[in-house]
Amino acid sequence: MPKIKPSHDLQPFHTFGTSATAEFLAEAGTIEDVIELSEHATAEQLKLTILGGGSNVLFTKDVRGLVLLNRITGIDLVGEDDHHFYVRAGAGEVWHDFVEKCISEGWAGVENLALIPGMVGASPMQNIGAYGIEIESVFDHLIAVHLPTGELHQFDKRDCQFGYRESVFKRKFKGQYVICYVQYKLRKKPDFNTSYGAIQQELEKQGVSDLSLRAVADAVIAIRQSKLPDPKEIGNAGSFFKNPVVDQDTFNAIAEEHPELPNYPAPKGKVKLAAGWLIDQSGWKGFREGDFGVHDRQALVLVNHGNAHGREIFDLSKRILKDVEEKFGVKLEREVNIL
Ligand code: FAD
Ligand code: EPU
């Protein structure tokens, strides 16, 4: 059984850098560790909270029960066919290290997702996405421990019910599974996607004429570094809200007054708007009060300048929600998991 540490500081284990304490904390390095810890939590009636890299959570209070840090490692090529490599990764592998390994091995499909913080295990949780790619496009299946029974269950792509920043693990099965391994189906021949945002521009700036996995990842890394705050320097969890999907009438009403409104086509004739633009236009960009605020280069990112409390950041998110709804009639939804 892994060591269970009482009353443990959580600050080093998440990227907002706010202070919070776990009643108990333990690391799981294997599936057996996960099962033993979950049995222990059930026997002792402790609530179990799973954490990977802590880059998509906001602690608003101390955590009662047991925090399980998933540290299952390993990246293995487990099969191939004419067009694909099948690669299995432990949930506790750092996501960007996994991307780097894929680039060096020539396994294509995750290069646009370079530099997303966090770990492999969380990648299907919210179907991570950036620069025109979502994880579902390379997802094969995952293996997870079902907490109520301790059984191992396999989830194929359809079972995960992926959507924009969504999966079954955030909805119907919330809190019921610990993801232990994720298998990806990566391409032998790259299918480069450079049409999104500023990738093409960045490639030109870097003088790239021959596309490669390395060149695309480097362009994405450069764009990300120019826009998003590094959590090592300033506490944050990336986009705090999702980009809202609205109906055509709502879009038309806003666009009439603001023709420059950034928008993207969404399924069922709906329109996705840029939450960062809505928050920016509501006057919040660069806002600071005490140590909490809104990033000055990307209004979708709420930040901790030092000693902010999670509760202060949560309350700020409520003020922003209210303001955007009053100004534009659009209700934002938080993307970060509030604990
Ligand atoms: P955590 O924060 O540890 O956990 C997130 C949620 O998943 C929690 O509910 C947790 O309980 C659950 N969870 C974690 N691991 C497991 C597991 N093994 N089994 C079951 N449940 C689990 N996201 C994007 O999609 N695109 C981006 O471009 C992007 N950019 C970001 C930029 C910055 C600067 C930051 C700080 C964050 C960004 N994010 C982005 C958000 C974040 O990186 C992703 O959501 C990432 O997948 C979170 O991984 P994590 O291991 O840190 O998860
Ligand atoms: N914008 C503003 N002001 C701002 C911020 C953005 O006007 O303060 C405008 C931009 O000019 C642009 C539009 O809003 O026209 C979109 O901005 P950006 O390209 O920076 O992307 P985003 O929609 O804000 C999304 C994801 C990011 C992901 C990028 C790149 C969500 C919630 N966020 O951001 O994901 O990296 O696209 O694909 O979908 C995350 O999930 O944590 C995350 C960072």
Side-chain angles (χ1 to χ4, degrees), residues 56 116 126 129-132 164-165 196-197 224 227-228 237-243 262 264 272-278 280-281 285 295 297-301 335:
N56 205 26
I116 296 183
Q126 67 154 6
Y131 297 95
Y164 163 61
R165 298 292 194 272
Y196 189 95
R224 294 183 69 94
K227 280 193 185 182
L228 293 163
S239 302
F240 200 90
F241 303 96
K242 289 183 186 182
N243 283 331
Y264 320 89
K272 194 194 268 184
L273 305 181
W277 183 91
L278 295 169
D280 189 351
Q281 292 295 312
K285 194 168 179 168
H295 189 49
R297 272 174 285 149
Q298 168 49 288
L300 195 45
V301 179
E335 196 242 68

Side-chain angles (χ1 to χ4, degrees), residues 13-16 49-57 70 91-93 95 113-131 144 165 169-170 174 177-180 224 228-231 236-239 301 335-337 339:
F13 301 112
H14 69 109
T15 60
F16 247 125
T49 300
I50 318 301
L51 220 50
S55 63
N56 205 26
V57 291
N70 192 319
E93 287 288 344
W95 173 258
L113 303 177
L115 214 63
I116 296 183
M119 292 179 175
V120 159
S123 65
M125 278 298 293
Q126 67 154 6
N127 185 20
I128 55 167
Y131 297 95
R165 298 292 194 272
F169 304 103
K170 283 184 83 174
K174 193 173 159 98
Y177 282 94
V178 181
I179 297 166
C180 293
R224 294 183 69 94
L228 293 163
D230 179 351
N236 76 92
S239 302
V301 179
E335 196 242 68
V336 169
N337 299 280
L339 296 173

Side-chain angles (χ1 to χ4, degrees), residues 22 96 127 162 170 185 189 196 210 239 247 272 322:
H96 182 67
N127 185 20
F162 289 125
K170 283 184 83 174
K185 186 178 173 181
K189 190 168 171 288
Y196 189 95
D210 281 339
S239 302
D247 58 37
K272 194 194 268 184
K322 187 166 172 277

Side-chain angles (χ1 to χ4, degrees), residues 84-161:
H84 299 100
F85 293 113
Y86 294 84
V87 179
R88 192 185 76 151
E93 287 288 344
V94 171
W95 173 258
H96 182 67
D97 294 350
F98 172 70
V99 173
E100 285 292 333
K101 168 93 177 159
C102 292
I103 291 167
S104 66
E105 296 285 346
W107 303 334
V110 287
E111 54 283 358
N112 291 42
L113 303 177
L115 214 63
I116 296 183
M119 292 179 175
V120 159
S123 65
M125 278 298 293
Q126 67 154 6
N127 185 20
I128 55 167
Y131 297 95
I133 298 288
E134 288 180 322
I135 202 64
E136 65 171 310
S137 66
V138 292
F139 180 87
D140 187 56
H141 72 261
L142 64 80
I143 302 291
V145 172
H146 183 229
L147 292 171
T149 60
E151 289 171 3
L152 287 184
H153 290 175
Q154 175 167 329
F155 286 78
D156 296 334
K157 198 184 232 160
R158 274 184 61 169
D159 305 325
C160 293
Q161 296 175 21

